Amino acid sequence: MAEKTWVRMVTAQTPTNIAVIKYWGKRDETLILPVNDSISVTLDPAHLCTTTTVAVSPSFDQDRMWLNGKEISLSGGRYQNCLREIRARACEVEDKEKGIKIAKKDWEKLHLHVASYNNFPTAAGLASSAAGFACLVFALAKLMNAKEDNSELSAIARQGSGSACRSLFGGFVKWIMGKAEDGSDSLAVQLVDEKHWDELVIIIAVVSSRQKETSSTTGMRDSVETSLLLQHRAKEVVPKRIKQMEEAIKNRDFGSFAQLTCADSNQFHAVCLDTSPPIFYMNDTSHRIISCVEKWNCSAGTPQVAYTFDAGPNAVLIAHNRKAATQLMQKLLFCFPPSSDADLNSYVIGDNSILKDAGIEDIKDVEALPPPPEIKDAQRCKGDVSYFICTKPGRGPAFLSDESQALLHPETGLPK
Amino acid sequence: MAEKTWVRMVTAQTPTNIAVIKYWGKRDETLILPVNDSISVTLDPAHLCTTTTVAVSPSFDQDRMWLNGKEISLSGGRYQNCLREIRARACEVEDKEKGIKIAKKDWEKLHLHVASYNNFPTAAGLASSAAGFACLVFALAKLMNAKEDNSELSAIARQGSGSACRSLFGGFVKWIMGKAEDGSDSLAVQLVDEKHWDELVIIIAVVSSRQKETSSTTGMRDSVETSLLLQHRAKEVVPKRIKQMEEAIKNRDFGSFAQLTCADSNQFHAVCLDTSPPIFYMNDTSHRIISCVEKWNCSAGTPQVAYTFDAGPNAVLIAHNRKAATQLMQKLLFCFPPSSDADLNSYVIGDNSILKDAGIEDIKDVEALPPPPEIKDAQRCKGDVSYFICTKPGRGPAFLSDESQALLHPETGLPK
């Protein structure tokens, strides 16, 4: 290459999200348009996020991507759709200091490098693709000086992974299903930011599983084709729930929020079960966690904790406040103690300051926990939970300006 | 008692049944009127039945009942409803040989003794109440010389336990939900007798479970009150399925029969999951059995086996014919071998001649079974199944005229 070369980079961090009114079923497979609206809560990126560095340089001879340090193919339709859509919105970029000038039309020829990293186990079934595609689109938009706002960008991220559109905002987010055939109005909007309801505490139980789950793409397609309950849910049940959930969030009405969240998670799994062949994402451990929460909520008279499960056995538990979360942690550690040789700090990760509130400093304190009084003959199931992550609702995507946090080398554009 | 005493007895045997289109939800709790029609197959009484002896004598001073040798109370509303209804239909009885003469009006004052015995474990969750109430009503009708036919009797048995009405006939049976407010048209009719489709083979997997299940009465009530999918199922889905199922049974169309049976079982459990709090009857073992059947049916290109689950984790597997049942047994024994110290003849009970067809004579043959080729990385889960019962569709209720089979003493009217 004759001309002096340069590398322009942007690094961003984008959170994952968990739906409290579920997305299950597409009306358009290619554009990823859903059969109903959905609502999610964004999780604190400190504990669960994707960091992505995107780079452009005239020295790159093809688009390349590395995920968690390993090169992966960008040839899939979902990546191609996102790259095409964002390139179409690229604008002129000028950085006099570095001597970079990219005209709008140059973007069609320039190649990109992408490096992405999840700060949580990809295999744990924690919606890494949502954070991943949101981060990719968010970072590329900045790199390419695209003028679109986050809602407009969400409609692009949606074409990578449906739930990714909800990761473009913090707090509580609604994915409006839209009506347009081209999907332009199927995008995410923020309902409230993360400060609106900041007493909520989220504990994720990563559940051990022997089985490989059905991918959500395949499962959703099978449900749309075979479940006789899915359309009724999408058309009759969800629209009302969306309104009720918006109201509950606006009013910080935890009772309604918990009732709707649990009911909608269960109904999503009911639709999975009504699919042919049936899809089971929850296992006996998931059922036991639900039973533990239901019994407590019932005996307390008013909901203390909401539960929701995505396409896997992991429980996402949303506690009303720190006090409820502390009690929840005690109950969970009684029912699902770590293996004898486990280190408590690797069994309860994230913001585990809650352990201190719960009076738990080491394994001996776990062993000494009393059984939850509302559970008759409470059993202790060692090893059924791999670990817990303590977190909270969090903010939306952000840029990392500190170049030391970039995942690509500023001169070569290759992974550090 | 001054007058010469006598005991008049009748002994009957009544089968259990398993629904292939499920009954879940009452529109009237007292009369036990369902929200939809259901269809069942009656199971061979040789392997699963209730035997009941009913007796009347002027020497009895109260109604009494013994279940599996233990006296139980008859004061419950369901027993009282059945006793009241059948007494209202009692007719004059004369047995000159024994010197018995009972006028129609005498039945109001005479007391009854009832002894009932299940030839299978009551605790195994195998619908013992269905066979029990059917047998009680069937035997009492004979004792009291009631003129009602089995359909009319089914409407009485229904008031003891909904599904009991379907145990008044052999073969395939439909419980018509009816429209009348007094429930008089909510009764069972035989679709075809047990000879119509006699190649079917039924294998029941009695699944080990750590948990006490929600009773179907409570579960059903909760579903009616809270599930937003139940009414849609009852009004939109089931009526069509009933017609399709009747057609499949008439034509011995196993493909349609299996598809409908599996889908309806799954949808019933989906409605349970959509209930608040959610009800889980199936556990991980149930899921693995389903997965095993689904993979085989898929790889075979045409369904070989149908599965259906009632309010518990036990699988009822209906094989197309003896050949399919033999292969099923091999696959099941591979995936769910008995504990090392188990006796094969107590692990596979009922008509276990199928073991011979499968080339299995002892535990070593089980250990040597090859993994089902259609299941990748097939695991062997010892102890997850308690035992298997091999049976087939069977006949309806029958009287046992041999007095040696009576459960009550012919002179005292007390349990033998």
Side-chain angles (χ1 to χ4, degrees), chain B residues 57-71:
Chain B
S57 167
S59 69
F60 298 167
D61 57 2
Q62 57 170 319
D63 293 341
R64 295 178 73 182
M65 177 164 179
W66 294 264
L67 176 61
N68 295 324
K70 203 178 150 187
E71 184 156 14

PDB file of all heavy atoms in Angstrom, chain B residues 57-71:
ATOM      1  N   SER B  57     -77.009 -54.386  54.078  1.00  0.00           N
ATOM      2  CA  SER B  57     -77.563 -55.314  55.060  1.00  0.00           C
ATOM      3  C   SER B  57     -78.340 -54.509  56.094  1.00  0.00           C
ATOM      4  O   SER B  57     -77.924 -53.390  56.454  1.00  0.00           O
ATOM      5  CB  SER B  57     -76.429 -56.085  55.750  1.00  0.00           C
ATOM      6  OG  SER B  57     -76.931 -56.756  56.890  1.00  0.00           O
ATOM      7  N   PRO B  58     -79.440 -55.029  56.562  1.00  0.00           N
ATOM      8  CA  PRO B  58     -80.163 -54.340  57.640  1.00  0.00           C
ATOM      9  C   PRO B  58     -79.336 -54.270  58.923  1.00  0.00           C
ATOM     10  O   PRO B  58     -79.617 -53.461  59.816  1.00  0.00           O
ATOM     11  CB  PRO B  58     -81.420 -55.187  57.834  1.00  0.00           C
ATOM     12  CG  PRO B  58     -81.172 -56.476  57.147  1.00  0.00           C
ATOM     13  CD  PRO B  58     -80.115 -56.263  56.120  1.00  0.00           C
ATOM     14  N   SER B  59     -78.258 -55.072  58.976  1.00  0.00           N
ATOM     15  CA  SER B  59     -77.434 -55.066  60.197  1.00  0.00           C
ATOM     16  C   SER B  59     -76.401 -53.930  60.201  1.00  0.00           C
ATOM     17  O   SER B  59     -75.785 -53.655  61.215  1.00  0.00           O
ATOM     18  CB  SER B  59     -76.718 -56.406  60.359  1.00  0.00           C
ATOM     19  OG  SER B  59     -75.728 -56.531  59.354  1.00  0.00           O
ATOM     20  N   PHE B  60     -76.200 -53.286  59.056  1.00  0.00           N
ATOM     21  CA  PHE B  60     -75.223 -52.173  59.021  1.00  0.00           C
ATOM     22  C   PHE B  60     -75.851 -50.941  59.651  1.00  0.00           C
ATOM     23  O   PHE B  60     -76.978 -50.574  59.310  1.00  0.00           O
ATOM     24  CB  PHE B  60     -74.824 -51.841  57.575  1.00  0.00           C
ATOM     25  CG  PHE B  60     -74.144 -52.960  56.821  1.00  0.00           C
ATOM     26  CD1 PHE B  60     -73.992 -52.877  55.434  1.00  0.00           C
ATOM     27  CD2 PHE B  60     -73.634 -54.090  57.470  1.00  0.00           C
ATOM     28  CE1 PHE B  60     -73.369 -53.888  54.726  1.00  0.00           C
ATOM     29  CE2 PHE B  60     -73.014 -55.107  56.749  1.00  0.00           C
ATOM     30  CZ  PHE B  60     -72.884 -55.004  55.372  1.00  0.00           C
ATOM     31  N   ASP B  61     -75.103 -50.275  60.536  1.00  0.00           N
ATOM     32  CA  ASP B  61     -75.702 -49.097  61.162  1.00  0.00           C
ATOM     33  C   ASP B  61     -75.167 -47.768  60.631  1.00  0.00           C
ATOM     34  O   ASP B  61     -75.570 -46.700  61.083  1.00  0.00           O
ATOM     35  CB  ASP B  61     -75.599 -49.176  62.684  1.00  0.00           C
ATOM     36  CG  ASP B  61     -74.162 -49.321  63.139  1.00  0.00           C
ATOM     37  OD1 ASP B  61     -73.266 -49.310  62.253  1.00  0.00           O
ATOM     38  OD2 ASP B  61     -73.924 -49.458  64.344  1.00  0.00           O
ATOM     39  N   GLN B  62     -74.237 -47.850  59.688  1.00  0.00           N
ATOM     40  CA  GLN B  62     -73.791 -46.628  59.008  1.00  0.00           C
ATOM     41  C   GLN B  62     -73.103 -47.012  57.705  1.00  0.00           C
ATOM     42  O   GLN B  62     -72.706 -48.169  57.533  1.00  0.00           O
ATOM     43  CB  GLN B  62     -72.836 -45.820  59.901  1.00  0.00           C
ATOM     44  CG  GLN B  62     -71.622 -46.615  60.346  1.00  0.00           C
ATOM     45  CD  GLN B  62     -70.565 -45.750  61.033  1.00  0.00           C
ATOM     46  OE1 GLN B  62     -70.298 -44.645  60.588  1.00  0.00           O
ATOM     47  NE2 GLN B  62     -69.974 -46.270  62.091  1.00  0.00           N
ATOM     48  N   ASP B  63     -72.978 -46.045  56.800  1.00  0.00           N
ATOM     49  CA  ASP B  63     -72.206 -46.262  55.576  1.00  0.00           C
ATOM     50  C   ASP B  63     -70.729 -46.277  55.950  1.00  0.00           C
ATOM     51  O   ASP B  63     -70.251 -45.401  56.669  1.00  0.00           O
ATOM     52  CB  ASP B  63     -72.462 -45.132  54.564  1.00  0.00           C
ATOM     53  CG  ASP B  63     -73.890 -45.138  54.033  1.00  0.00           C
ATOM     54  OD1 ASP B  63     -74.582 -46.183  54.133  1.00  0.00           O
ATOM     55  OD2 ASP B  63     -74.314 -44.089  53.494  1.00  0.00           O
ATOM     56  N   ARG B  64     -70.015 -47.284  55.450  1.00  0.00           N
ATOM     57  CA  ARG B  64     -68.576 -47.368  55.748  1.00  0.00           C
ATOM     58  C   ARG B  64     -67.819 -47.760  54.490  1.00  0.00           C
ATOM     59  O   ARG B  64     -68.361 -48.425  53.610  1.00  0.00           O
ATOM     60  CB  ARG B  64     -68.309 -48.427  56.837  1.00  0.00           C
ATOM     61  CG  ARG B  64     -68.918 -48.076  58.173  1.00  0.00           C
ATOM     62  CD  ARG B  64     -68.670 -49.181  59.200  1.00  0.00           C
ATOM     63  NE  ARG B  64     -67.279 -49.221  59.646  1.00  0.00           N
ATOM     64  CZ  ARG B  64     -66.811 -50.138  60.516  1.00  0.00           C
ATOM     65  NH1 ARG B  64     -67.629 -51.082  61.007  1.00  0.00           N
ATOM     66  NH2 ARG B  64     -65.545 -50.123  60.885  1.00  0.00           N
ATOM     67  N   MET B  65     -66.559 -47.361  54.440  1.00  0.00           N
ATOM     68  CA  MET B  65     -65.746 -47.727  53.275  1.00  0.00           C
ATOM     69  C   MET B  65     -64.317 -48.047  53.678  1.00  0.00           C
ATOM     70  O   MET B  65     -63.741 -47.411  54.548  1.00  0.00           O
ATOM     71  CB  MET B  65     -65.739 -46.584  52.242  1.00  0.00           C
ATOM     72  CG  MET B  65     -64.839 -46.894  51.059  1.00  0.00           C
ATOM     73  SD  MET B  65     -65.137 -45.845  49.627  1.00  0.00           S
ATOM     74  CE  MET B  65     -63.882 -46.503  48.521  1.00  0.00           C
ATOM     75  N   TRP B  66     -63.747 -49.044  52.994  1.00  0.00           N
ATOM     76  CA  TRP B  66     -62.345 -49.411  53.188  1.00  0.00           C
ATOM     77  C   TRP B  66     -61.641 -49.327  51.843  1.00  0.00           C
ATOM     78  O   TRP B  66     -62.135 -49.878  50.841  1.00  0.00           O
ATOM     79  CB  TRP B  66     -62.225 -50.836  53.733  1.00  0.00           C
ATOM     80  CG  TRP B  66     -62.792 -50.991  55.111  1.00  0.00           C
ATOM     81  CD1 TRP B  66     -62.097 -50.933  56.294  1.00  0.00           C
ATOM     82  CD2 TRP B  66     -64.159 -51.237  55.470  1.00  0.00           C
ATOM     83  NE1 TRP B  66     -62.940 -51.118  57.362  1.00  0.00           N
ATOM     84  CE2 TRP B  66     -64.212 -51.305  56.889  1.00  0.00           C
ATOM     85  CE3 TRP B  66     -65.348 -51.385  54.744  1.00  0.00           C
ATOM     86  CZ2 TRP B  66     -65.408 -51.534  57.582  1.00  0.00           C
ATOM     87  CZ3 TRP B  66     -66.534 -51.605  55.429  1.00  0.00           C
ATOM     88  CH2 TRP B  66     -66.567 -51.676  56.834  1.00  0.00           C
ATOM     89  N   LEU B  67     -60.522 -48.598  51.798  1.00  0.00           N
ATOM     90  CA  LEU B  67     -59.737 -48.490  50.550  1.00  0.00           C
ATOM     91  C   LEU B  67     -58.388 -49.161  50.783  1.00  0.00           C
ATOM     92  O   LEU B  67     -57.656 -48.786  51.711  1.00  0.00           O
ATOM     93  CB  LEU B  67     -59.540 -47.012  50.167  1.00  0.00           C
ATOM     94  CG  LEU B  67     -58.663 -46.743  48.940  1.00  0.00           C
ATOM     95  CD1 LEU B  67     -59.245 -47.387  47.679  1.00  0.00           C
ATOM     96  CD2 LEU B  67     -58.499 -45.242  48.712  1.00  0.00           C
ATOM     97  N   ASN B  68     -58.097 -50.149  49.977  1.00  0.00           N
ATOM     98  CA  ASN B  68     -56.858 -50.923  50.137  1.00  0.00           C
ATOM     99  C   ASN B  68     -56.702 -51.395  51.590  1.00  0.00           C
ATOM    100  O   ASN B  68     -55.615 -51.344  52.160  1.00  0.00           O
ATOM    101  CB  ASN B  68     -55.643 -50.107  49.712  1.00  0.00           C
ATOM    102  CG  ASN B  68     -55.685 -49.802  48.223  1.00  0.00           C
ATOM    103  OD1 ASN B  68     -56.128 -50.627  47.421  1.00  0.00           O
ATOM    104  ND2 ASN B  68     -55.240 -48.612  47.853  1.00  0.00           N
ATOM    105  N   GLY B  69     -57.825 -51.819  52.179  1.00  0.00           N
ATOM    106  CA  GLY B  69     -57.774 -52.414  53.511  1.00  0.00           C
ATOM    107  C   GLY B  69     -57.883 -51.438  54.666  1.00  0.00           C
ATOM    108  O   GLY B  69     -57.996 -51.845  55.816  1.00  0.00           O
ATOM    109  N   LYS B  70     -57.848 -50.143  54.356  1.00  0.00           N
ATOM    110  CA  LYS B  70     -57.856 -49.151  55.431  1.00  0.00           C
ATOM    111  C   LYS B  70     -59.168 -48.378  55.405  1.00  0.00           C
ATOM    112  O   LYS B  70     -59.590 -47.907  54.341  1.00  0.00           O
ATOM    113  CB  LYS B  70     -56.676 -48.183  55.188  1.00  0.00           C
ATOM    114  CG  LYS B  70     -56.199 -47.473  56.430  1.00  0.00           C
ATOM    115  CD  LYS B  70     -55.013 -46.570  56.126  1.00  0.00           C
ATOM    116  CE  LYS B  70     -55.005 -45.386  57.061  1.00  0.00           C
ATOM    117  NZ  LYS B  70     -53.982 -44.395  56.703  1.00  0.00           N
ATOM    118  N   GLU B  71     -59.824 -48.250  56.537  1.00  0.00           N
ATOM    119  CA  GLU B  71     -61.098 -47.537  56.532  1.00  0.00           C
ATOM    120  C   GLU B  71     -60.891 -46.056  56.243  1.00  0.00           C
ATOM    121  O   GLU B  71     -59.983 -45.423  56.791  1.00  0.00           O
ATOM    122  CB  GLU B  71     -61.832 -47.709  57.873  1.00  0.00           C
ATOM    123  CG  GLU B  71     -63.204 -47.033  57.824  1.00  0.00           C
ATOM    124  CD  GLU B  71     -64.219 -47.608  58.812  1.00  0.00           C
ATOM    125  OE1 GLU B  71     -63.822 -48.352  59.717  1.00  0.00           O
ATOM    126  OE2 GLU B  71     -65.418 -47.311  58.644  1.00  0.00           O
TER     127      GLU B  71
END
